[in-house]
Structures are given as structure tokens and as C-alpha cells.
């Protein structure tokens, strides 16, 4: 991750990140997952890749991408998708916006780690979450107390 995050300073403000799945070194899926757990977790990510299988698209979205565009593509479509992702990101209600200060939320025998965007069971085992699963749990009314 040093390759991508090392290029952003702590004060850099990034509006959108475009990743290719098949980059040299760490692939875009790994980098997307790491971005979601780091400083740029609220930054929208658009996957731009030649991988067009349904499974690849689903995995990209589950790893945290906000959109997935397959090559070859029209420049107008890319621009339209960038604008749509930015519009959706800026329109999030306050309870779905990601704050920089992570916290741990408890429900039943589970804990939701908001900085790592994963669940912890009673034994402390980490359970990875897709982007949709995390958003559902983070906005859920079943979470009733901080850890």
C-alpha cells in the first residue's frame, strides 16, 4: 500500500480515486480494501479495468469500490460515472458519512469496528465485510452501545 498511500500526504484532499484491477505490484482490489481501512476510507473509488466477468465486477464492488467500469469505455461514460459517484458521495445523510475518528459499536455478541470496517466476534476473530454489509450495519438501529 505504500505505493498509493505514500503518494498522499496527511493533508491531501482527494475527491476520487480511479484504480485498475491489474496494476503492477499490489492489484487494485487489494489497494481498494486498504484504502477503505485507512485515511482515505471516505474517498470514492472507481474501478477501471479490462476484467469484465460478473464475478470480477461483484468482487470489486464488495472490496469497496463505488463503481466499476470495464475497458474499453467511452470517455463520456467515464465522466458521467465520475460525476454520479461524486454526486452520491456528497449527498450522503450524516448517519452514513464516514467520520475520520473510528469507533467500536456493540450489538449482541458482535462488535463493529468502524475504522477497520469489519466485525469482531466474541473471541476477537475478524469477520470481513463487503461495502454494502458495512453500510447496512453502520446505519442500523440494532447497534445500541459503544464498546
Amino acid at each position: 500500500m505504500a505505493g498509493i498511500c505514500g503518494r498522499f500526504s496527511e493533508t491531501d484532499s482527494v475527491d476520487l480515486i480511479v484504480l485498475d484491477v491489474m496494476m503492477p505490484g499490489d492489484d487494485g482490489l487489494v489497494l481498494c480494501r486498504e484504502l477503505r481501512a485507512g485515511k482515505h476510507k471516505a474517498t470514492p473509488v472507481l474501478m477501471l479495468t479490462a476484467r469484465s466477468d460478473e464475478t470480477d465486477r461483484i468482487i470489486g464492488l464488495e472490496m469497496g469500490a463505488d463503481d466499476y467500469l470495464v475497458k474499453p469505455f467511452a470517455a463520456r461514460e467515464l465522466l458521467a460515472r465520475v460525476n454520479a459517484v461524486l454526486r452520491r458521495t456528497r449527498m450522503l445523510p450524516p448517519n452514513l458519512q464516514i467520520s475520520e475518528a473510528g469507533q467500536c459499536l456493540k450489538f449482541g455478541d458482535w462488535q463493529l469496528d468502524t475504522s477497520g470496517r469489519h466485525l469482531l466476534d466474541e473471541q476477537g476473530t475478524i469477520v470481513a465485510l463487503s461495502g454494502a454489509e458495512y453500510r447496512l450495519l453502520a446505519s442500523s438501529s440494532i447497534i445500541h452501545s459503544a464498546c
Side-chain angles (χ1 to χ4, degrees), residues 108-130:
D109 295 331
W110 295 93
Q111 295 177 17
L112 178 64
D113 180 341
T114 61
S115 62
R117 298 175 64 98
H118 57 256
L119 282 175
L120 296 166
D121 67 11
E122 291 178 295
Q123 292 78 36
T125 304
I126 294 176
V127 178
L129 297 172
S130 70

Side-chain angles (χ1 to χ4, degrees), residues 2-143:
I4 193 165
C5 288
R7 296 179 188 180
F8 300 130
S9 74
E10 289 299 311
T11 59
D12 283 339
S13 176
V14 179
D15 292 324
L16 180 112
I17 297 170
V18 178
L19 292 176
D20 193 327
V21 172
M22 297 182 292
M23 298 186 323
D26 287 338
D27 69 26
L29 296 172
V30 170
L31 293 175
C32 183
R33 185 72 168 179
E34 291 176 356
L35 283 166
R36 288 297 180 229
K39 175 187 176 283
H40 294 282
K41 63 181 153 249
T43 304
V45 175
L46 187 140
M47 289 286 190
L48 184 65
T49 182
R51 290 188 170 176
S52 61
D53 291 341
E54 178 183 0
T55 304
D56 292 322
R57 292 190 311 265
I58 291 168
I59 290 171
L61 294 168
E62 287 180 342
M63 293 298 279
D66 295 285
D67 201 355
Y68 193 102
L69 183 60
V70 177
K71 298 175 190 176
F73 59 88
R76 283 186 65 190
E77 181 181 6
L78 174 61
L79 182 60
R81 287 177 180 270
V82 165
N83 288 330
V85 167
L86 290 173
R87 184 176 55 248
R88 283 193 308 265
T89 303
R90 293 176 181 146
M91 292 174 44
L92 285 175
N95 67 324
L96 292 181
Q97 290 178 357
I98 300 171
S99 66
E100 290 303 314
Q103 60 180 338
C104 180
L105 304 172
K106 187 169 178 64
F107 61 101
D109 295 331
W110 295 93
Q111 295 177 17
L112 178 64
D113 180 341
T114 61
S115 62
R117 298 175 64 98
H118 57 256
L119 282 175
L120 296 166
D121 67 11
E122 291 178 295
Q123 292 78 36
T125 304
I126 294 176
V127 178
L129 297 172
S130 70
E133 290 168 333
Y134 173 80
R135 288 189 300 274
L136 178 65
L137 287 172
S139 64
S140 176
S141 60
I142 63 169
I143 298 175

